[in-house]
Amino acid sequence: MRILQTAHLTKQYVHGTNLINALDDVNLSIEQGEFIAITGASGSGKSTLFHILAGLGRPTSGRVIIDKFDLRKLSADDLTVFRRRRVGFISAKPLSYNLVPVLNVYENLILPILLDAKEPDDEFIQKLVSLLGLEKNLRDMPGVLSDNQRLRVAIARALAAKPAILLMDEPSDCLDDKDSENIIDLLNVINKKFHQTI
């Protein structure tokens, strides 16, 4: 089943007197359960693409369809709810991975679910916590965690609501090579174990 599709996606910016095409006629199709990496040189539009796919920005033209929802048909309020329920998004910018500093790890994990007035699936969250090696960190505050641990918490939080797709914009940019490889290995396990589209 197709989980994400873009059709003729473009994004243009005006910089001074110049018109910059950050995205130019991007057509993309991702099936449920696929694990895809998008690569390209710095400044080639990857972050712009991820932000539009996540519903954090609007394209100049074209369509994004995720889990049968056409994002351009959603109001700003509906888009906020849609993101919380169907899209997990992680970016290394800022390095805090947008964790709430006054909440401990467990509270960060369940926050999006509580905002949606739902009960967390404790059994599923425990599986994520165990898989990501966070059992001993649930009461820790984000400020005492390493970059690697913060990223693992962000992954667990993004997956806790069982999204249709997990989008990650250079999440391991701040990690060393060994930690980056470990994170990729974990994502492979998550992809296979939960059939999670990444």
Side-chain angles (χ1 to χ4, degrees):
M1 179 179 100
R2 184 177 297 144
I3 210 74
L4 181 148
Q5 181 179 16
T6 69
H8 307 293
L9 201 61
T10 66
K11 181 64 176 179
Q12 297 175 327
Y13 298 100
V14 176
H15 184 71
T17 58
N18 297 322
L19 183 65
I20 297 169
N21 289 313
L23 300 175
D24 188 13
D25 197 33
V26 175
N27 296 288
L28 176 66
S29 180
I30 297 175
E31 298 294 314
Q32 183 177 6
E34 284 193 291
F35 188 163
I36 304 289
I38 297 174
T39 61
S42 179
S44 63
K46 298 185 303 294
S47 290
T48 301
L49 176 62
F50 276 106
H51 278 79
I52 290 173
L53 294 180
L56 295 168
R58 299 276 190 178
T60 304
S61 63
R63 300 185 338 167
V64 177
I65 299 170
I66 296 178
D67 203 18
K68 300 181 183 173
F69 287 84
D70 188 335
L71 269 56
R72 64 186 176 164
K73 293 181 179 178
L74 300 178
S75 68
D77 288 344
D78 290 341
L79 197 52
T80 298
V81 173
F82 174 83
R83 283 195 306 266
R84 195 167 58 234
R85 293 179 179 171
R86 302 198 183 263
V87 178
F89 182 75
I90 300 170
S91 175
K93 302 158 192 165
L95 293 180
S96 66
Y97 298 104
N98 290 317
L99 300 178
V100 180
V102 297
L103 300 180
N104 67 31
V105 166
Y106 180 73
E107 292 165 336
N108 265 284
L109 291 184
I110 64 170
L111 179 63
I113 299 168
L114 297 180
L115 289 173
D116 215 15
K118 294 187 175 178
E119 286 293 319
D121 181 342
D122 288 327
E123 185 179 341
F124 179 68
I125 289 172
Q126 185 54 48
K127 287 179 184 177
L128 287 174
V129 165
S130 177
L131 184 61
L132 291 162
L134 294 169
E135 301 99 320
K136 296 179 181 177
N137 303 108
L138 291 179
R139 295 186 182 201
D140 291 340
M141 304 303 277
V144 304
L145 302 176
S146 69
D147 289 338
N148 184 304
Q149 289 169 323
R150 280 196 292 269
L151 176 53
R152 289 168 187 252
V153 174
I155 291 169
R157 182 185 60 189
L159 294 173
K162 302 178 185 176
I165 190 165
L166 175 62
L167 300 170
M168 305 178 74
D169 183 17
E170 301 186 39
S172 60
D173 228 21
C174 62
L175 305 181
D176 62 32
D177 289 345
K178 183 179 178 182
D179 281 346
S180 291
E181 286 177 20
N182 288 339
I183 291 295
I184 296 300
D185 289 343
L186 279 172
L187 291 171
N188 270 305
V189 171
I190 289 166
N191 170 251
K192 291 179 174 66
K193 188 176 181 72
F194 301 116
H195 201 55
Q196 175 65 56
T197 310
I198 303 173

